Amino acid sequence: EFRDTLYLRANRHLRRFRQKMALLKELYYGSIGYLSSNVIADPKALAQISQARGWKTAPYRYIGFHPNSPNLQIALLTKEDRVLLYDGRRAPPVLLTSCEQKDATCVAFRPWASGCELAVGCEAGICLWRANKLSVDHQIRPMQGTHYSQMLKGEGHCYVTSLQWNEDGTILVSAALGTGDIILWEPDCHQKLRLLPGPGNQSSFSLLCFSPDFHVLFCARSDGGGSICQLDRSNWSPHQVLPKVRLQTVAWTGGCSQLLFAQKACTFLYSCTSDQETGVFLRPEHLWGVELIADLRDVTTCSGEYRYCGEPQTIVTDPLGIYLAVIFKEQSFVLFGLLVKARGSPIRFFPLDFIDCDMAVEKDAEIYPTCMDFTRSQSANPKTRWLVVCWNISHIQWREFGAQSLQEAIEVHNLN
């Protein structure tokens, strides 16, 4: 009986000891994880990591298109932190502005939404705008007008740098200067689904980019390095594929196996390609290879026109992965070219044209592109696609093309 009593007391003390140790372990390692995931948010860094040229003075800092609306919907983010929302059915744009929408950097339309919904990344977090069908007022304020806004906020998740929706619009992914984590949100519930910590949490993420098939998310760090995260498996942690590379701009070319990128202070265009024979992302850190595609310092088009180009500011690819467009840091034009991909061979880039601003300006006026993107028609003519370029003189220029395959593009541009 004495032994039984002693045994019970010993077990009771042991359980208490284990509970205290578990609590201490949680407090200790929890505090380390919190400190390591938060970084100093410097708003001056926004101009350095932005894809827009002349971020501080550009009238349009970002352009976004609705991915599947029957009407062509465009969102333009201005330097005054306002969003101009254009709809093919409406002449004047809707103005989205809020007292919390400051230092705005990016916009992202929500796919397959019943009405118009979009997210705006800003200093306070994420401003979610939803259409209010009962109003016809085009001067928008929070909770009134044609749209109303709500905020998604997270501790340390300030100065949002990049936003991406998943394919069906149920999850919003965001990165911010104030944290070394990527957050997956469920906007309808205003909840965080998951935190994706970066390798080492040494800095924040500056750019997120879903692959065209939405299987892979590419994540670029502010101080250098690129990682991929496959979102259809239990392991959501990013895996580095471009360690210590100071990325300027990136763009997928098709599927989830080919990525184009340019480094800061460099004129080279590279491709990062996975080994599909072995199995994509079986061990991502070992399956990616980097190849040089082109030196964009001196460029001669297929028609023989030569121009000095220099360092890329941003690159974009069209929805079919056929065309590539480049804005340069110090040039007044956009380079437009063709991407040729053959099985077993490196990607080749064929410069087709230099796109100059088509608006008449004074002879000595400084003019240059600030941002751009590709889009396609969803209703009128599904085969039609456009490259839309925003210029520093508040001008928007459209370049139409319709080739549906690489072979058709080669024939159209007489490259046989």
Side-chain angles (χ1 to χ4, degrees), residues 294-336:
D295 185 352
L296 299 179
R297 181 180 182 275
D298 300 282
V299 175
T300 302
T301 66
C302 296
S303 62
E305 182 181 1
Y306 164 82
R307 292 190 190 183
Y308 174 82
C309 295
E311 298 177 22
Q313 171 71 30
T314 183
I315 60 174
V316 293
T317 54
D318 89 285
L320 299 183
I322 299 174
Y323 295 104
L324 172 75
V326 186
I327 290 177
F328 296 93
K329 288 184 176 293
E330 298 181 354
Q331 302 304 326
S332 62
F333 51 82
V334 173
L335 175 62
F336 182 74

Side-chain angles (χ1 to χ4, degrees), residues 169-209:
T170 56
I171 297 175
L172 178 63
V173 189
S174 66
L177 284 182
T179 177
D181 298 325
I182 296 171
I183 297 183
L184 277 67
W185 306 84
E186 189 176 8
D188 293 333
C189 301
H190 283 255
Q191 294 181 349
K192 302 176 188 175
L193 291 179
R194 188 182 294 265
L195 290 178
L196 303 182
N201 285 337
Q202 67 272 26
S203 72
S204 59
F205 289 93
S206 59
L207 181 63
L208 305 175
C209 187

Side-chain angles (χ1 to χ4, degrees), residues 197-242:
N201 285 337
Q202 67 272 26
S203 72
S204 59
F205 289 93
S206 59
L207 181 63
L208 305 175
C209 187
F210 261 121
S211 59
D213 58 9
F214 291 93
H215 290 168
V216 181
L217 180 70
F218 182 82
C219 319
R221 280 200 171 275
S222 302
D223 65 350
S227 306
I228 55 95
C229 182
Q230 190 176 12
L231 301 185
D232 59 356
R233 294 187 180 180
S234 59
N235 181 14
W236 293 53
S237 299
H239 300 276
Q240 280 202 342
V241 293
L242 296 172

Side-chain angles (χ1 to χ4, degrees), residues 31-109:
S31 63
I32 289 179
Y34 172 79
L35 291 174
S36 63
S37 63
N38 285 268
V39 295
I40 298 176
D42 182 7
K44 295 180 181 179
L46 294 176
Q48 301 173 2
I49 65 177
S50 174
Q51 295 290 287
R53 179 177 169 184
W55 188 82
K56 292 182 179 180
T57 59
Y60 303 127
R61 291 177 170 176
Y62 195 96
I63 182 171
F65 299 94
H66 198 295
N68 41 48
S69 172
N71 300 297
L72 185 59
Q73 294 188 2
I74 309 172
L76 291 173
L77 177 61
T78 72
K79 64 180 179 181
E80 294 84 13
D81 299 315
R82 300 174 177 180
V83 175
L84 301 178
L85 185 61
Y86 291 87
D87 191 320
R89 299 170 301 178
R90 186 184 296 119
V94 172
L95 173 62
L96 306 181
T97 182
S98 165
C99 59
E100 291 189 282
Q101 190 170 283
K102 303 299 182 183
D103 287 321
T105 58
C106 52
V107 299
F109 280 100

Side-chain angles (χ1 to χ4, degrees), residues 146-159:
T146 62
H147 293 64
Y148 66 92
S149 67
Q150 295 175 306
M151 291 297 299
L152 290 179
K153 295 183 179 181
E155 187 172 0
H157 203 69
C158 58
Y159 294 103

Side-chain angles (χ1 to χ4, degrees), residues 212 252-254 316-325 336-337 339 373-376 385-386 401 403:
W252 292 94
T253 63
V316 293
T317 54
D318 89 285
L320 299 183
I322 299 174
Y323 295 104
L324 172 75
F336 182 74
L339 293 170
D373 204 357
F374 284 94
T375 188
R376 73 171 97 192
R385 307 192 304 285
W386 296 279
F401 50 98

